[in-house]
Amino acid sequence: MTQTDDRRFGEGGMPILGEAEAAGLDWVRAEVEDGSDEHCFEVAPDGEWVHIRQTDDPGAIVTTTRAKWDAFVLGVRNNEFDHFVTDVPPAAPGDRPGPSGP
């Protein structure tokens, strides 16, 4: 998708997706532990963009760049966000696994 597409663009040049554009993307779902379809996180790569939504509110789509998404994924792999979901403090930088870690 480029600025010359028929799509609308918002602040920072991020595309604003309508229902038709969202329906045409290949959404990848991160399943929840209980196996239900509620409150699942979905991601759809779209060229230089990555779109993110939740299954219980599919019209609310957050869009970011591929580079920012890649940085986020690397941070998750390096346990940089664990303190948001556990009571365990973040690991020291030398204790974090690399991108190919567990």
Coordinates of all heavy atoms in Angstrom, one line a residue:
M1 N 0.8 -1.2 0.0 CA 0.0 0.0 0.0 C 0.9 1.2 0.0 O 1.8 1.3 0.8 CB -0.9 -0.1 1.2 CG -1.6 1.2 1.5 SD -2.9 1.1 2.8 CE -2.0 0.3 4.1
T2 N 0.6 2.2 -0.8 CA 1.3 3.4 -0.9 C 0.4 4.6 -0.8 O -0.8 4.4 -0.8 CB 2.1 3.5 -2.3 OG1 1.1 3.6 -3.3 CG2 3.0 2.3 -2.5
Q3 N 1.0 5.8 -0.7 CA 0.2 7.0 -0.5 C -0.7 7.2 -1.8 O -1.6 8.0 -1.7 CB 1.1 8.2 -0.3 CG 1.8 8.2 1.0 CD 0.8 8.7 2.1 OE1 -0.3 9.1 1.9 NE2 1.3 8.6 3.4
T4 N -0.4 6.5 -2.9 CA -1.2 6.7 -4.1 C -2.4 5.8 -4.1 O -3.2 5.9 -5.0 CB -0.3 6.5 -5.4 OG1 0.2 5.2 -5.3 CG2 0.8 7.5 -5.4
D5 N -2.5 4.9 -3.2 CA -3.7 4.0 -3.1 C -5.0 4.8 -2.9 O -4.9 6.0 -2.5 CB -3.6 3.0 -1.9 CG -2.6 1.9 -2.2 OD1 -2.2 1.8 -3.4 OD2 -2.1 1.3 -1.2
D6 N -6.1 4.2 -3.0 CA -7.4 4.9 -2.8 C -7.7 5.0 -1.3 O -8.7 5.5 -0.9 CB -8.5 4.2 -3.5 CG -8.4 4.4 -5.0 OD1 -7.8 5.4 -5.4 OD2 -8.9 3.5 -5.7
R7 N -6.9 4.4 -0.4 CA -7.1 4.4 1.0 C -6.9 5.8 1.6 O -6.1 6.6 1.1 CB -6.2 3.3 1.7 CG -6.5 1.9 1.2 CD -5.6 1.0 1.9 NE -5.8 -0.4 1.4 CZ -5.1 -1.4 1.7 NH1 -4.2 -1.3 2.6 NH2 -5.4 -2.6 1.2
R8 N -7.5 5.9 2.7 CA -7.3 7.2 3.5 C -6.1 7.0 4.4 O -5.8 5.9 4.9 CB -8.6 7.5 4.3 CG -9.8 7.8 3.5 CD -11.0 8.0 4.3 NE -11.3 6.8 5.2 CZ -11.6 6.9 6.5 NH1 -11.8 8.1 7.1 NH2 -11.8 5.8 7.2
F9 N -5.5 8.1 4.7 CA -4.3 8.1 5.6 C -4.5 9.1 6.7 O -5.1 10.2 6.5 CB -3.0 8.4 4.8 CG -2.7 7.4 3.8 CD1 -3.2 7.3 2.6 CD2 -1.8 6.3 4.2 CE1 -2.9 6.3 1.7 CE2 -1.5 5.3 3.3 CZ -2.0 5.3 2.0
G10 N -4.1 8.7 7.9 CA -4.3 9.6 9.1 C -3.0 10.2 9.5 O -2.1 10.4 8.7
E11 N -2.9 10.6 10.8 CA -1.8 11.2 11.3 C -0.5 10.4 11.1 O -0.6 9.2 11.3 CB -2.0 11.5 12.8 CG -1.0 12.3 13.5 CD -1.3 12.6 14.9 OE1 -2.5 12.8 15.2 OE2 -0.4 12.7 15.7
G12 N 0.5 11.0 10.8 CA 1.8 10.3 10.6 C 1.8 9.5 9.3 O 2.7 8.7 9.1
G13 N 0.8 9.6 8.4 CA 0.8 8.9 7.2 C 0.3 7.4 7.3 O 0.4 6.6 6.4
M14 N -0.2 7.1 8.5 CA -0.7 5.7 8.7 C -2.0 5.5 8.0 O -2.9 6.4 8.0 CB -0.9 5.4 10.2 CG 0.3 5.6 11.1 SD 1.4 4.2 10.8 CE 2.7 4.7 11.9
P15 N -2.2 4.4 7.3 CA -3.5 4.1 6.6 C -4.6 3.9 7.6 O -4.4 3.4 8.7 CB -3.2 2.9 5.9 CG -2.0 2.2 6.5 CD -1.3 3.3 7.2
I16 N -5.8 4.4 7.2 CA -7.0 4.1 8.0 C -7.8 3.1 7.2 O -8.2 3.3 6.0 CB -7.8 5.4 8.1 CG1 -7.0 6.5 8.9 CG2 -9.1 5.2 8.8 CD1 -7.6 7.9 8.9
L17 N -8.0 2.0 7.8 CA -8.7 0.9 7.1 C -10.2 0.9 7.3 O -10.7 1.1 8.4 CB -8.2 -0.5 7.6 CG -6.7 -0.8 7.4 CD1 -6.4 -2.2 7.9 CD2 -6.3 -0.7 5.9
G18 N -10.9 0.7 6.2 CA -12.3 0.4 6.3 C -12.6 -1.1 6.4 O -11.7 -1.9 6.4
E19 N -13.9 -1.4 6.6 CA -14.2 -2.8 6.7 C -13.8 -3.7 5.6 O -13.3 -4.8 5.7 CB -15.8 -3.0 6.9 CG -16.3 -2.5 8.3 CD -17.7 -2.8 8.4 OE1 -18.2 -3.9 8.0 OE2 -18.4 -1.9 8.9
A20 N -13.9 -3.1 4.3 CA -13.5 -3.9 3.1 C -12.0 -4.2 3.1 O -11.6 -5.3 2.8 CB -14.0 -3.2 1.9
E21 N -11.2 -3.1 3.4 CA -9.8 -3.3 3.4 C -9.4 -4.3 4.5 O -8.5 -5.2 4.3 CB -9.0 -2.0 3.7 CG -9.2 -1.0 2.5 CD -10.3 -0.1 2.7 OE1 -11.0 -0.1 3.7 OE2 -10.5 0.8 1.8
A22 N -10.0 -4.2 5.7 CA -9.6 -5.1 6.8 C -10.0 -6.5 6.5 O -9.3 -7.5 6.8 CB -10.3 -4.6 8.1
A23 N -11.2 -6.7 5.8 CA -11.6 -8.1 5.5 C -10.7 -8.7 4.4 O -10.6 -9.9 4.4 CB -13.1 -8.0 5.0
G24 N -10.0 -7.9 3.6 CA -9.2 -8.4 2.6 C -7.8 -8.8 3.1 O -7.0 -9.3 2.3
L25 N -7.5 -8.6 4.4 CA -6.2 -8.9 4.9 C -6.1 -10.3 5.5 O -7.2 -10.8 5.9 CB -5.8 -7.9 6.0 CG -5.6 -6.4 5.5 CD1 -5.3 -5.5 6.7 CD2 -4.4 -6.3 4.5
D26 N -4.9 -10.9 5.6 CA -4.8 -12.2 6.2 C -4.4 -11.9 7.6 O -3.2 -11.6 8.0 CB -3.7 -13.0 5.5 CG -4.1 -13.4 4.1 OD1 -5.2 -13.7 3.9 OD2 -3.2 -13.4 3.2
W27 N -5.4 -12.0 8.5 CA -5.1 -11.8 10.0 C -4.6 -13.1 10.6 O -5.1 -14.2 10.4 CB -6.5 -11.4 10.6 CG -6.9 -10.0 10.2 CD1 -7.8 -9.8 9.1 CD2 -6.5 -8.8 10.7 NE1 -8.0 -8.4 9.0 CE2 -7.2 -7.8 9.9 CE3 -5.7 -8.4 11.7 CZ2 -7.1 -6.4 10.2 CZ3 -5.6 -7.0 12.0 CH2 -6.2 -6.1 11.2
V28 N -3.6 -12.9 11.4 CA -3.0 -14.0 12.2 C -3.4 -13.8 13.6 O -3.2 -12.8 14.2 CB -1.4 -14.0 12.1 CG1 -0.8 -15.1 12.9 CG2 -1.0 -14.1 10.6
R29 N -4.0 -14.9 14.2 CA -4.6 -14.8 15.5 C -3.7 -15.4 16.6 O -3.2 -16.5 16.4 CB -5.9 -15.5 15.6 CG -6.6 -15.4 16.9 CD -8.0 -16.0 16.9 NE -8.8 -15.2 16.0 CZ -10.1 -15.5 15.8 NH1 -10.6 -16.6 16.3 NH2 -10.8 -14.7 15.0
A30 N -3.4 -14.7 17.7 CA -2.7 -15.3 18.8 C -3.8 -15.8 19.7 O -4.6 -15.1 20.3 CB -1.9 -14.2 19.5
E31 N -3.9 -17.1 19.8 CA -4.9 -17.8 20.6 C -4.7 -17.5 22.1 O -3.6 -17.4 22.6 CB -4.9 -19.3 20.4 CG -5.1 -19.7 18.9 CD -6.5 -19.3 18.4 OE1 -7.4 -19.2 19.2 OE2 -6.6 -19.1 17.2
V32 N -5.8 -17.5 22.8 CA -5.8 -17.4 24.3 C -5.6 -18.8 24.9 O -6.0 -19.8 24.2 CB -7.0 -16.6 24.8 CG1 -7.0 -15.2 24.4 CG2 -8.3 -17.3 24.4
E33 N -5.2 -18.8 26.1 CA -4.9 -20.1 26.7 C -6.1 -21.0 26.9 O -6.0 -22.2 26.8 CB -4.3 -19.9 28.1 CG -2.9 -19.4 28.1 CD -2.2 -19.3 29.4 OE1 -2.7 -19.9 30.4 OE2 -1.2 -18.5 29.5
D34 N -7.3 -20.4 27.1 CA -8.5 -21.3 27.3 C -9.1 -21.8 26.0 O -10.1 -22.5 26.0 CB -9.5 -20.5 28.1 CG -10.1 -19.3 27.5 OD1 -9.9 -19.1 26.3 OD2 -10.9 -18.6 28.1
G35 N -8.5 -21.3 24.8 CA -9.0 -21.8 23.5 C -10.2 -21.1 23.0 O -10.7 -21.5 21.9
S36 N -10.8 -20.1 23.7 CA -11.9 -19.4 23.3 C -11.6 -18.5 22.1 O -10.4 -18.1 21.9 CB -12.6 -18.7 24.4 OG -11.8 -17.6 24.8
D37 N -12.6 -18.0 21.4 CA -12.3 -17.0 20.4 C -12.5 -15.6 20.9 O -12.4 -14.6 20.1 CB -13.3 -17.2 19.2 CG -12.9 -18.4 18.4 OD1 -11.7 -18.8 18.4 OD2 -13.8 -19.0 17.7
E38 N -12.8 -15.4 22.2 CA -13.0 -14.1 22.7 C -11.7 -13.4 23.1 O -10.7 -14.1 23.5 CB -13.8 -14.2 24.0 CG -15.3 -14.6 23.7 CD -16.1 -14.6 24.9 OE1 -16.0 -13.6 25.7 OE2 -16.8 -15.6 25.2
H39 N -11.6 -12.1 22.8 CA -10.4 -11.3 23.3 C -9.1 -11.8 22.7 O -8.1 -11.7 23.3 CB -10.3 -11.3 24.8 CG -11.6 -11.0 25.5 ND1 -12.3 -9.8 25.3 CD2 -12.4 -11.7 26.3 CE1 -13.4 -9.8 26.0 NE2 -13.5 -11.0 26.6
C40 N -9.1 -12.3 21.5 CA -7.9 -12.7 20.8 C -7.3 -11.5 20.1 O -7.9 -10.6 19.6 CB -8.2 -13.8 19.8 SG -8.7 -15.3 20.5
F41 N -6.0 -11.5 20.1 CA -5.1 -10.5 19.4 C -4.9 -11.0 18.0 O -4.5 -12.1 17.8 CB -3.8 -10.4 20.3 CG -2.9 -9.3 19.9 CD1 -3.1 -8.0 20.4 CD2 -1.8 -9.6 19.1 CE1 -2.2 -7.0 20.1 CE2 -0.9 -8.6 18.8 CZ -1.1 -7.3 19.3
E42 N -5.1 -10.1 17.0 CA -4.8 -10.4 15.6 C -3.9 -9.4 15.0 O -4.0 -8.2 15.3 CB -6.1 -10.5 14.9 CG -7.1 -11.6 15.3 CD -8.3 -11.6 14.4 OE1 -8.9 -10.5 14.2 OE2 -8.7 -12.7 14.0
V43 N -3.0 -9.9 14.1 CA -2.1 -9.0 13.4 C -2.2 -9.4 11.9 O -2.3 -10.5 11.5 CB -0.6 -9.3 13.9 CG1 0.4 -8.5 13.2 CG2 -0.5 -9.1 15.4
A44 N -2.1 -8.3 11.1 CA -2.1 -8.5 9.6 C -1.0 -7.7 9.0 O -1.1 -6.4 9.0 CB -3.5 -8.1 9.1
P45 N 0.0 -8.3 8.5 CA 1.0 -7.6 7.7 C 0.5 -7.1 6.4 O -0.4 -7.8 5.8 CB 2.2 -8.6 7.5 CG 1.5 -9.9 7.6 CD 0.3 -9.7 8.5
D46 N 0.9 -5.9 6.0 CA 0.3 -5.3 4.8 C 1.4 -4.4 4.2 O 1.4 -3.2 4.3 CB -0.9 -4.4 5.2 CG -1.6 -3.8 4.0 OD1 -1.4 -4.3 2.9 OD2 -2.4 -2.8 4.2
G47 N 2.4 -5.0 3.5 CA 3.5 -4.3 2.9 C 4.3 -3.6 4.0 O 4.8 -4.3 4.9
E48 N 4.5 -2.3 4.0 CA 5.3 -1.6 5.0 C 4.5 -1.4 6.3 O 5.1 -0.9 7.3 CB 5.8 -0.3 4.5 CG 4.7 0.7 4.2 CD 5.1 2.0 3.6 OE1 5.7 2.8 4.3 OE2 5.0 2.1 2.4
W49 N 3.2 -1.8 6.4 CA 2.4 -1.6 7.5 C 2.1 -2.9 8.2 O 2.1 -4.0 7.6 CB 1.1 -0.9 7.1 CG 1.3 0.3 6.3 CD1 1.0 0.5 5.0 CD2 1.8 1.6 6.8 NE1 1.3 1.7 4.6 CE2 1.8 2.4 5.7 CE3 2.2 2.0 8.0 CZ2 2.2 3.7 5.7 CZ3 2.7 3.4 8.1 CH2 2.7 4.2 7.0
V50 N 1.8 -2.8 9.5 CA 1.3 -3.9 10.3 C 0.0 -3.4 11.0 O 0.1 -2.4 11.7 CB 2.3 -4.4 11.3 CG1 1.7 -5.5 12.2 CG2 3.6 -5.0 10.6
H51 N -1.1 -4.1 10.9 CA -2.3 -3.8 11.5 C -2.6 -4.7 12.7 O -2.4 -5.9 12.6 CB -3.5 -3.8 10.5 CG -3.2 -3.1 9.2 ND1 -3.2 -1.7 9.2 CD2 -2.9 -3.5 8.0 CE1 -2.9 -1.3 8.0 NE2 -2.7 -2.4 7.2
I52 N -3.2 -4.2 13.8 CA -3.4 -4.9 15.0 C -4.8 -4.7 15.4 O -5.3 -3.5 15.4 CB -2.4 -4.5 16.1 CG1 -1.0 -4.5 15.6 CG2 -2.6 -5.3 17.3 CD1 0.0 -3.6 16.3
R53 N -5.5 -5.7 15.9 CA -6.8 -5.6 16.4 C -7.1 -6.7 17.4 O -6.4 -7.6 17.5 CB -7.9 -5.6 15.3 CG -8.0 -6.9 14.6 CD -9.0 -6.9 13.5 NE -9.2 -8.2 12.9 CZ -10.0 -8.4 11.9 NH1 -10.6 -7.5 11.3 NH2 -10.1 -9.7 11.4
Q54 N -8.3 -6.6 18.1 CA -8.8 -7.7 18.9 C -10.1 -8.2 18.3 O -10.8 -7.5 17.7 CB -9.0 -7.2 20.3 CG -7.8 -6.9 21.1 CD -8.1 -6.6 22.5 OE1 -7.9 -5.4 22.9 NE2 -8.5 -7.6 23.3
T55 N -10.3 -9.5 18.5 CA -11.5 -10.1 17.9 C -12.8 -9.6 18.4 O -13.8 -9.6 17.7 CB -11.4 -11.7 18.0 OG1 -11.3 -12.0 19.4 CG2 -10.3 -12.3 17.3
D56 N -12.8 -9.1 19.6 CA -14.0 -8.6 20.2 C -14.4 -7.2 19.8 O -15.4 -6.7 20.0 CB -14.1 -8.8 21.7 CG -12.9 -8.1 22.4 OD1 -11.9 -7.8 21.8 OD2 -13.1 -7.8 23.6
D57 N -13.4 -6.5 19.0 CA -13.7 -5.2 18.5 C -12.9 -5.0 17.2 O -11.9 -4.3 17.1 CB -13.2 -4.1 19.5 CG -13.7 -2.7 19.1 OD1 -14.4 -2.6 18.1 OD2 -13.3 -1.8 19.8
P58 N -13.3 -5.8 16.2 CA -12.5 -5.9 14.9 C -12.4 -4.5 14.2 O -11.5 -4.4 13.3 CB -13.1 -7.0 14.1 CG -14.5 -7.0 14.6 CD -14.4 -6.7 16.1
G59 N -13.3 -3.6 14.5 CA -13.3 -2.3 13.8 C -12.2 -1.4 14.3 O -11.9 -0.4 13.7
A60 N -11.8 -1.6 15.5 CA -10.8 -0.8 16.1 C -9.4 -1.3 15.8 O -8.9 -2.2 16.4 CB -10.9 -0.7 17.7
I61 N -8.8 -0.8 14.8 CA -7.5 -1.3 14.2 C -6.4 -0.2 14.5 O -6.6 0.9 14.2 CB -7.6 -1.6 12.7 CG1 -8.7 -2.6 12.5 CG2 -6.3 -2.0 12.1 CD1 -9.0 -2.8 11.0
V62 N -5.3 -0.7 15.1 CA -4.1 0.1 15.3 C -3.2 -0.3 14.2 O -2.9 -1.4 13.9 CB -3.5 -0.2 16.7 CG1 -2.2 0.6 16.8 CG2 -4.5 0.2 17.7
T63 N -2.6 0.7 13.6 CA -1.6 0.5 12.5 C -0.3 1.1 12.9 O -0.2 2.2 13.4 CB -2.1 1.2 11.2 OG1 -3.4 0.6 10.8 CG2 -1.1 0.9 10.0
T64 N 0.8 0.3 12.5 CA 2.1 0.8 12.8 C 3.0 0.4 11.6 O 2.6 -0.3 10.7 CB 2.7 0.2 14.1 OG1 3.9 0.9 14.5 CG2 2.9 -1.3 14.1
T65 N 4.3 0.8 11.6 CA 5.2 0.5 10.6 C 5.8 -0.9 10.8 O 5.8 -1.4 12.0 CB 6.3 1.5 10.4 OG1 7.1 1.5 11.6 CG2 5.8 2.9 10.2
R66 N 6.3 -1.5 9.8 CA 6.9 -2.8 9.9 C 8.1 -2.7 10.8 O 8.4 -3.5 11.7 CB 7.3 -3.3 8.5 CG 8.2 -4.6 8.5 CD 7.4 -5.8 8.8 NE 6.5 -6.0 7.7 CZ 5.8 -7.1 7.5 NH1 6.0 -8.1 8.3 NH2 5.0 -7.3 6.5
A67 N 8.9 -1.6 10.7 CA 10.1 -1.4 11.6 C 9.7 -1.3 13.0 O 10.4 -1.9 13.9 CB 10.9 -0.2 11.1
K68 N 8.7 -0.6 13.4 CA 8.2 -0.5 14.8 C 7.7 -1.8 15.3 O 7.9 -2.2 16.4 CB 7.2 0.6 14.9 CG 7.8 2.0 14.7 CD 6.7 3.1 14.9 CE 7.3 4.4 14.6 NZ 6.3 5.5 14.7
W69 N 7.0 -2.5 14.4 CA 6.5 -3.9 14.8 C 7.6 -4.8 15.1 O 7.6 -5.5 16.1 CB 5.6 -4.4 13.8 CG 5.1 -5.8 14.1 CD1 5.6 -7.0 13.5 CD2 4.2 -6.2 15.1 NE1 5.0 -8.1 14.0 CE2 4.1 -7.6 15.0 CE3 3.4 -5.6 16.0 CZ2 3.3 -8.4 15.9 CZ3 2.6 -6.3 16.8 CH2 2.5 -7.7 16.8
D70 N 8.6 -4.8 14.2 CA 9.8 -5.7 14.4 C 10.5 -5.3 15.7 O 11.0 -6.2 16.4 CB 10.8 -5.5 13.2 CG 10.2 -6.1 12.0 OD1 9.2 -6.9 12.0 OD2 10.8 -5.9 10.9
A71 N 10.6 -4.0 16.1 CA 11.3 -3.6 17.3 C 10.4 -4.1 18.5 O 11.0 -4.6 19.5 CB 11.4 -2.1 17.4
F72 N 9.1 -4.0 18.4 CA 8.2 -4.5 19.5 C 8.4 -6.0 19.7 O 8.6 -6.5 20.8 CB 6.8 -4.2 19.2 CG 5.8 -4.8 20.1 CD1 5.7 -4.3 21.4 CD2 5.0 -5.9 19.7 CE1 4.8 -4.9 22.3 CE2 4.1 -6.5 20.6 CZ 4.0 -6.0 21.9
V73 N 8.4 -6.8 18.6 CA 8.5 -8.2 18.7 C 9.9 -8.6 19.3 O 10.0 -9.5 20.2 CB 8.4 -8.9 17.3 CG1 8.8 -10.4 17.3 CG2 6.9 -8.8 16.8
L74 N 10.9 -7.9 18.9 CA 12.2 -8.1 19.5 C 12.2 -7.9 21.0 O 12.8 -8.6 21.8 CB 13.3 -7.3 18.8 CG 14.7 -7.5 19.3 CD1 15.2 -8.9 19.1 CD2 15.7 -6.5 18.6
G75 N 11.5 -6.8 21.4 CA 11.4 -6.5 22.8 C 10.6 -7.6 23.6 O 11.0 -7.9 24.7
V76 N 9.6 -8.1 23.0 CA 8.9 -9.3 23.6 C 9.8 -10.5 23.8 O 9.8 -11.1 24.8 CB 7.6 -9.6 22.8 CG1 7.0 -10.9 23.3 CG2 6.6 -8.5 22.8
R77 N 10.5 -10.8 22.7 CA 11.4 -11.9 22.8 C 12.5 -11.7 23.8 O 13.0 -12.7 24.4 CB 12.1 -12.1 21.4 CG 11.2 -12.7 20.4 CD 11.9 -12.9 19.1 NE 11.0 -13.5 18.1 CZ 11.3 -13.5 16.8 NH1 12.4 -13.0 16.3 NH2 10.4 -14.1 16.0
N78 N 12.9 -10.5 24.1 CA 13.9 -10.2 25.1 C 13.4 -9.9 26.5 O 14.0 -9.4 27.3 CB 14.7 -8.9 24.6 CG 15.7 -9.3 23.5 OD1 16.2 -10.4 23.4 ND2 15.9 -8.3 22.6
N79 N 12.1 -10.3 26.7 CA 11.4 -10.2 28.0 C 11.3 -8.7 28.5 O 11.2 -8.5 29.7 CB 12.1 -11.0 29.0 CG 12.2 -12.5 28.6 OD1 11.3 -13.0 28.1 ND2 13.4 -13.1 28.7
E80 N 11.4 -7.7 27.6 CA 11.3 -6.3 28.1 C 10.0 -5.9 28.6 O 9.9 -4.9 29.2 CB 11.8 -5.4 26.9 CG 13.2 -5.6 26.5 CD 13.6 -4.9 25.3 OE1 12.9 -4.0 24.8 OE2 14.7 -5.2 24.7
F81 N 8.9 -6.7 28.3 CA 7.6 -6.3 28.7 C 7.0 -7.2 29.8 O 5.8 -7.1 30.1 CB 6.7 -6.2 27.5 CG 7.2 -5.3 26.4 CD1 7.7 -5.8 25.3 CD2 7.1 -3.9 26.6 CE1 8.2 -5.0 24.3 CE2 7.6 -3.1 25.6 CZ 8.1 -3.6 24.5
D82 N 7.8 -8.2 30.3 CA 7.3 -9.1 31.2 C 6.7 -8.5 32.5 O 5.8 -9.0 33.1 CB 8.4 -10.1 31.6 CG 8.7 -11.1 30.5 OD1 8.0 -11.1 29.5 OD2 9.6 -12.0 30.7
H83 N 7.3 -7.4 32.9 CA 6.8 -6.7 34.1 C 5.3 -6.2 34.0 O 4.7 -6.0 35.0 CB 7.7 -5.6 34.5 CG 7.8 -4.5 33.5 ND1 8.5 -4.6 32.3 CD2 7.2 -3.2 33.5 CE1 8.3 -3.4 31.7 NE2 7.6 -2.6 32.4
F84 N 4.8 -6.2 32.8 CA 3.4 -5.8 32.6 C 2.5 -6.9 32.9 O 1.3 -6.7 33.2 CB 3.1 -5.3 31.2 CG 3.7 -4.0 30.9 CD1 4.8 -3.9 30.0 CD2 3.3 -2.8 31.5 CE1 5.3 -2.6 29.7 CE2 3.9 -1.6 31.2 CZ 4.9 -1.5 30.3
V85 N 2.9 -8.2 32.9 CA 2.0 -9.3 33.1 C 2.4 -10.2 34.3 O 1.7 -11.1 34.6 CB 2.0 -10.2 31.8 CG1 1.3 -9.4 30.7 CG2 3.4 -10.7 31.4
T86 N 3.5 -9.9 34.9 CA 3.9 -10.7 36.1 C 4.4 -9.8 37.2 O 4.7 -8.6 37.0 CB 5.0 -11.7 35.7 OG1 6.2 -11.0 35.4 CG2 4.7 -12.6 34.5
D87 N 4.7 -10.4 38.4 CA 5.2 -9.6 39.5 C 6.7 -9.7 39.5 O 7.4 -9.3 40.4 CB 4.7 -10.2 40.8 CG 3.2 -9.8 40.9 OD1 2.7 -8.8 40.3 OD2 2.5 -10.6 41.6
V88 N 7.3 -10.4 38.5 CA 8.8 -10.6 38.4 C 9.4 -9.4 37.7 O 8.9 -9.0 36.7 CB 9.1 -11.9 37.6 CG1 10.6 -12.1 37.5 CG2 8.4 -13.1 38.3
P89 N 10.4 -8.8 38.3 CA 11.0 -7.6 37.7 C 11.7 -8.1 36.4 O 12.1 -9.2 36.2 CB 12.1 -7.2 38.7 CG 12.3 -8.3 39.6 CD 11.0 -9.1 39.6
P90 N 11.9 -7.1 35.4 CA 12.6 -7.5 34.2 C 14.0 -8.0 34.5 O 14.7 -7.6 35.4 CB 12.7 -6.1 33.4 CG 11.7 -5.2 34.1 CD 11.6 -5.7 35.5
A91 N 14.4 -8.9 33.6 CA 15.8 -9.5 33.7 C 16.8 -8.4 33.4 O 16.5 -7.4 32.7 CB 15.9 -10.6 32.7
A92 N 18.0 -8.6 33.9 CA 19.1 -7.7 33.6 C 19.4 -7.8 32.1 O 19.3 -8.9 31.6 CB 20.3 -8.0 34.5
P93 N 19.9 -6.8 31.4 CA 20.2 -6.9 30.0 C 21.1 -8.1 29.6 O 20.8 -8.7 28.6 CB 20.9 -5.6 29.7 CG 20.4 -4.6 30.7 CD 20.2 -5.4 32.0
G94 N 22.0 -8.5 30.4 CA 22.9 -9.6 30.1 C 22.2 -10.9 30.3 O 22.6 -12.0 29.8
D95 N 21.0 -11.0 31.0 CA 20.3 -12.2 31.2 C 19.2 -12.5 30.2 O 18.6 -13.5 30.2 CB 19.6 -12.1 32.6 CG 20.6 -12.1 33.7 OD1 21.7 -12.5 33.5 OD2 20.2 -11.6 34.8
R96 N 19.0 -11.5 29.3 CA 17.9 -11.7 28.3 C 18.4 -12.6 27.1 O 19.5 -12.4 26.6 CB 17.5 -10.3 27.7 CG 16.9 -9.5 28.8 CD 16.4 -8.2 28.2 NE 15.8 -7.3 29.2 CZ 15.9 -6.0 29.2 NH1 16.6 -5.4 28.3 NH2 15.3 -5.4 30.2
P97 N 17.5 -13.5 26.7 CA 17.8 -14.3 25.5 C 17.8 -13.4 24.3 O 17.1 -12.4 24.2 CB 16.7 -15.3 25.5 CG 15.5 -14.7 26.2 CD 16.2 -13.8 27.2
G98 N 18.5 -13.8 23.3 CA 18.6 -13.1 22.0 C 17.4 -13.4 21.2 O 16.5 -14.2 21.6
P99 N 17.3 -12.9 20.0 CA 16.1 -13.1 19.1 C 15.9 -14.6 18.8 O 14.8 -15.0 18.6 CB 16.5 -12.4 17.8 CG 17.5 -11.4 18.2 CD 18.2 -12.0 19.4
S100 N 16.9 -15.5 18.9 CA 16.6 -16.9 18.7 C 16.5 -17.6 20.0 O 16.5 -18.8 20.0 CB 17.8 -17.5 17.9 OG 19.0 -17.3 18.6
G101 N 16.4 -16.9 21.1 CA 16.3 -17.5 22.4 C 14.9 -18.2 22.6 O 14.1 -18.2 21.7
P102 N 14.7 -18.7 23.9 CA 13.5 -19.4 24.1 C 12.2 -18.6 24.0 O 12.1 -17.5 24.1 CB 13.6 -19.9 25.6 CG 14.8 -19.2 26.1 CD 15.5 -18.5 25.0

